Amino acid sequence: MMISLQTLEHSFREMLRIRLFEERVRREFGKGDMPGFVHVYVGAEAIAVGVCSQLEQTDMITSTHRGHGHCLAKGVEIAPMVAELYGREAGLCHGRGGSMHIADFSKGVLGANAIVGGGIGIAVGAALAAQTLKDGRVAVTFFGDGAANQGVLHESMNLASIWKLPVVFVCENNGWAESTPASYSISVSDVAIRAAGYSIPGVVVDATDYSAMHVAAEQAILRARMGNGPSFIEAKFPRQVGHFVGDGEAYRSRDDRKSARQLDVIARTRLELESRGVDVGAIVDELGKLIGGELDSAFAAARDSKWPNIDELESYVYSN
Amino acid sequence: MSIATSSQMVEMTFLKALNDAISFSMRNDSRVIVLGEDIAGGAGQGAPLEGSMGGTFGVTKGLLEEFGNARVRDTPISEAGITAATVGAAMGGLRPILDLMWASFAPNCFDQILNQAAKLRFMSGGQAKLPLVIRMAVGGGLRAAAQHSDTLYPLFTHIPGLKVVVPATPEEARGLLIASINDDNPVIFLEHMALYRTTGLVQLEPIAMELGKLGIMRQGSDLTIACVGQAALLGMDAAELLAKEGIDAQVISLRTLQPIDNEGLVACVKETSRLVVVEEGPPRCSISADIAASINESLFGRLLAPIGRVNSAATPVPFSPPLEDAHLPSVARIVEACHRVMTF
Ligand SMILES: Cc1ncc(C[n+]2csc(CCOP(=O)(O)OP(=O)(O)O)c2C)c(N)n1
């Protein structure tokens, strides 16, 4: 599948931006002053970019504990995201949520979610709002292979199907849920097969192939936008990193980890661009400097910025 | 209380104490099985045995190797399904122990806890027997944010038909878990995350510790500090500080919230006439409110001060460290509450 060179190059930049962000998060987390725990999106970049680059800002997404990539691809700014990772007042959620709960409603990000499967039904409800208000918005929910075994996915698919809701289910199948392999925990070889049980078109996509991911997302979003109902995309790729930053993956064979790193979408897209005549080295240098600089100042600013005021501990529990 | 001589005691982590209780029970009774997410990580079912996580905190580590994957079952992420299966397995003749990871995930399977596990014996007119344990990690302090930090102590205690256990020390963890596994009722076993790495002396031989009897962690005559689970460690620290001012505080670990040792608590407070209850969790409809009510009913005329309560703030648990610290009960806030009760 070929997509235009311009689109591919643009998406490569977006993916690289996420990669640079996550690599920096990993490094900075090692310094020990980032509270809590973080899960990075390394290796999955094609999914967030393939989908979100074709959404409007007003379209809505729900994300997961591994949500940084979704946020960046949907247009969330780096500095307030980083401030949130450090629990500062300047963070997107004023330090109330942290990495697993980043939300930016102004960009249509209805929130990362630390409950596995927690965002799926919410996206279906967001699609219900869009359908009822007839405002043309669509909703997308991202979730892992682990979440594919939650009952709420099944209830949500049925609901979306009978009401023909403008929602896209995107299962990010990285082969693992923490230490549990999908090959053990999932009854079918492809999660997408399950969509058929709800009369939802389901496709399996190689998420290390950016173009394939882009085309699948385009079709699903278009279907939702046209009022033709939900779609299901299972995006497969091998998990390159530990479940969380610091996970030594003792449960996983060395070979499996090594081969996963060899199937990298950034490397693969780079080759594709080069074969189509693009000077990728120049892009990498340029973005390295540009994003590197933005990250330098975002991390420095976050560390220097104010903690939330403890007198405001009880803020935000209720709407006034 | 019998005090064992130190030669019979060994030092153990809270985590190992839990692990010991489970393996001891599994050795003694082949009907005891464990199930849960990432307790084996698919190991032994295609993946290699070594490296199995033993759950998020490693409580069930090593069980797979000893007991095999028929009795140590890794589950998909399907809280409603696996809790229902736990209930059914208990009704079918097993004595299952479910590892639910975090109590914040219990809402995913609340029907199974509230409507099924808790009610089926009653509604079947005593026919159903539900010998099951649901273990959950609770509590804040890890900067894990609101969806990984609930304690939910009163939520479970509110439900007739459930027993609720809240160990504070390795000795309590092991003894109470063995008793919970032996019990013929559904038991909610709540392990505060800050306790897993703590150590303490336990008796050499694992033995059950009766459910429904509180533990006195420190003798004292001026006031009683009654604590829920991990709060007992804060209570002990507060008592040390108070001792420096000449205030002699008694510290109690409640150990179980259902049944609750009302008699034991009344006996203690009769001696000191002053009570502070410490509980991590919001103040409304809480364990502290419940205990304040029942002690009032029993000892109204004898109390020298209104009952003090130390709880979390009435908010979800915040992520930001200074907010989370302000949200949670602290030694300073316990000392402050004790001062109020002493100077009333
Ligand atoms: C309801 C619920 N159950 C369990 C967990 C613990 N947990 C967090 S992430 C995770 C694995 C999720 O796997 P998957 O959905 O495949 O996403 P991935 O981490 O692989 O991106 C588990 C079990 C949780 N956070 N919420």
Side-chain angles (χ1 to χ4, degrees):
Chain A
M1 256 171 280
M2 284 278 260
I3 58 174
S4 80
L5 189 57
Q6 198 193 358
T7 303
L8 189 64
E9 188 185 316
H10 173 79
S11 295
F12 178 76
R13 287 169 176 271
E14 283 292 290
M15 292 196 292
L16 190 57
R17 190 163 154 267
I18 295 172
R19 177 68 56 92
L20 291 167
F21 181 92
E22 294 292 56
E23 293 296 359
R24 177 65 72 92
V25 166
R26 278 218 281 197
R27 275 211 309 282
E28 302 287 345
F29 186 81
K31 294 182 181 164
D33 62 345
M34 193 185 295
F37 31 95
V38 291
H39 310 77
V40 292
Y41 201 67
V42 170
E45 292 88 349
I47 309 170
V49 173
V51 173
C52 295
S53 66
Q54 304 186 75
L55 292 176
E56 304 297 326
Q57 186 164 304
T58 49
D59 290 329
M60 299 165 285
I61 67 166
T62 63
S63 169
T64 68
H65 56 285
R66 201 179 297 287
H68 305 166
H70 307 134
C71 292
L72 291 169
K74 194 70 173 57
V76 176
E77 281 169 32
I78 283 179
M81 251 179 92
V82 174
E84 188 59 32
L85 299 185
Y86 284 92
R88 306 301 161 125
E89 184 61 29
L92 286 164
C93 308
H94 306 299
R96 270 59 174 184
S99 167
M100 292 195 290
H101 302 284
I102 294 183
D104 185 347
F105 281 63
S106 72
K107 300 292 191 313
V109 180
L110 305 189
N113 207 307
I115 298 299
V116 169
I120 299 171
I122 293 173
V124 169
L128 172 64
Q131 186 192 59
T132 308
L133 298 170
K134 297 191 177 62
D135 57 17
R137 290 176 299 168
V138 306
V140 178
T141 179
F142 297 95
F143 54 93
D145 47 284
N149 292 320
Q150 287 285 32
V152 69
L153 171 63
H154 297 264
E155 298 178 21
S156 299
M157 284 197 286
N158 187 56
L159 207 50
S161 181
I162 64 167
W163 288 344
K164 260 191 158 183
L165 295 175
V167 60
V168 182
F169 297 90
V170 181
C171 178
E172 303 181 323
N173 186 346
N174 62 9
W176 292 87
E178 286 194 10
S179 72
T180 304
S183 58
Y184 164 67
S185 67
I186 300 181
S187 60
V188 282
S189 55
D190 298 322
V191 181
I193 294 171
R194 292 179 174 171
Y198 304 96
S199 305
I200 295 175
V203 292
V204 180
V205 183
D206 173 0
T208 68
D209 176 351
Y210 180 78
S211 303
M213 189 61 226
H214 189 96
V215 170
E218 184 176 25
Q219 288 166 356
I221 294 166
L222 187 67
R223 186 176 145 85
R225 195 83 74 199
M226 305 276 287
N228 293 332
S231 310
F232 191 105
I233 299 172
E234 177 182 9
K236 288 195 185 195
F237 65 106
R239 194 176 85 193
Q240 286 188 35
V241 290
H243 173 63
F244 52 87
V245 177
D247 175 10
E249 295 188 283
Y251 47 82
R252 201 175 165 190
S253 78
R254 192 176 271 267
D255 285 350
D256 186 40
R257 289 156 67 186
K258 202 169 143 207
S259 65
R261 283 194 296 273
Q262 281 158 356
L263 289 168
D264 179 49
V265 66
I266 303 263
R268 183 168 170 181
T269 311
R270 179 178 183 143
L271 287 180
E272 191 180 334
L273 281 170
E274 278 167 350
S275 75
R276 289 166 79 174
V278 177
D279 180 1
V280 182
I283 298 178
V284 171
D285 285 348
E286 179 205 326
L287 275 190
K289 283 201 198 83
L290 198 73
I291 306 299
E294 194 178 348
L295 288 168
D296 287 344
S297 50
F299 277 88
R303 284 195 170 96
D304 279 348
S305 77
K306 284 205 305 273
W307 293 109
N309 184 344
I310 59 172
D311 294 336
E312 288 166 20
L313 176 59
E314 294 185 5
S315 300
Y316 312 121
V317 180
Y318 296 100
S319 303
N320 294 320
Chain B
M1 245 179 27
S2 70
I3 308 289
T5 61
S6 59
S7 63
Q8 295 170 278
M9 308 290 276
V10 287
E11 176 118 349
M12 192 179 275
T13 61
F14 191 89
L15 195 109
K16 179 74 171 67
L18 294 167
N19 182 280
D20 257 24
I22 299 172
S23 57
F24 172 80
S25 303
M26 290 183 80
R27 265 175 232 133
N28 284 346
D29 187 340
S30 61
R31 295 169 303 172
V32 178
I33 66 159
V34 294
L35 64 166
E37 295 159 21
D38 291 299
I39 65 170
Q45 323 240 9
L49 273 183
E50 62 276 10
S52 99
M53 270 174 61
T56 303
F57 301 95
V59 170
T60 50
K61 210 166 171 56
L63 297 179
L64 177 68
E65 288 85 334
E66 181 173 351
F67 300 103
N69 56 33
R71 292 178 69 197
V72 180
R73 281 184 194 257
D74 200 83
T75 71
I77 307 175
S78 309
E79 284 82 10
I82 62 179
T83 310
T86 300
V87 173
M91 287 166 60
L94 295 179
R95 305 185 76 85
I97 307 169
L98 173 64
D99 181 336
L100 204 57
M101 286 195 176
W102 269 275
S104 295
F105 309 158
N108 271 12
C109 49
F110 214 56
D111 171 62
Q112 305 304 324
I113 294 173
L114 169 75
N115 281 315
Q116 315 304 337
K119 296 177 182 171
L120 289 180
R121 178 168 178 80
F122 180 79
M123 292 193 304
S124 66
Q127 294 178 74
K129 206 164 76 175
L130 293 128
L132 63 93
V133 179
I134 308 181
R135 297 181 33 246
M136 310 177 201
V138 301
L142 285 196
R143 320 310 186 197
Q147 290 176 343
H148 281 75
S149 303
D150 292 300
T151 55
L152 307 185
Y153 299 135
L155 208 62
F156 298 118
T157 308
H158 182 71
I159 302 170
L162 301 179
K163 293 193 176 180
V164 184
V165 181
V166 284
T169 65
E171 174 89 82
E172 291 181 356
R174 195 178 64 180
L176 294 171
L177 185 51
I178 293 171
S180 300
I181 299 166
N182 290 343
D183 201 283
D184 279 340
N185 295 286
V187 178
I188 305 294
F189 196 92
L190 304 173
E191 304 159 9
H192 196 291
M193 285 185 278
L195 293 174
Y196 285 122
R197 313 252 163 245
T198 59
T199 57
L201 290 176
V202 303
Q203 304 211 16
L204 199 57
E205 295 301 323
I207 45 161
M209 186 182 270
E210 192 184 343
L211 304 182
K213 288 269 176 281
L214 58 74
I216 297 175
M217 295 183 62
R218 186 185 196 280
Q219 299 288 356
S221 54
D222 290 334
L223 88 163
T224 300
I225 307 176
C227 307
V228 180
Q230 182 262 354
L233 305 197
L234 306 180
M236 290 295 282
D237 287 350
E240 288 309 312
L241 292 177
L242 291 165
K244 293 197 182 116
E245 313 170 11
I247 299 171
D248 188 22
Q250 176 189 49
V251 180
I252 283 172
S253 164
L254 288 167
R255 291 187 180 169
T256 64
L257 302 175
Q258 175 61 38
I260 188 139
D261 188 2
N262 218 17
E263 224 172 85
L265 194 58
V266 166
C268 290
V269 180
K270 239 184 201 158
E271 297 298 315
T272 58
S273 300
R274 291 183 170 93
L275 174 64
V276 169
V277 189
V278 189
E279 171 195 15
E280 182 180 329
R284 293 287 315 282
C285 303
S286 58
I287 301 301
S288 68
D290 179 67
I291 287 178
S294 57
I295 293 298
N296 251 327
E297 282 161 11
S298 308
L299 294 176
F300 179 67
R302 293 184 76 118
L303 291 173
L304 295 174
I307 294 163
R309 298 166 54 204
V310 179
N311 281 85
S312 309
T315 75
V317 181
F319 166 69
S320 185
L323 289 179
E324 186 178 32
D325 292 345
H327 167 95
L328 295 171
S330 62
V331 174
R333 280 175 52 211
I334 298 170
V335 169
E336 211 180 279
C338 291
H339 283 158
R340 276 199 305 276
V341 165
M342 290 305 296
T343 56
F344 179 77

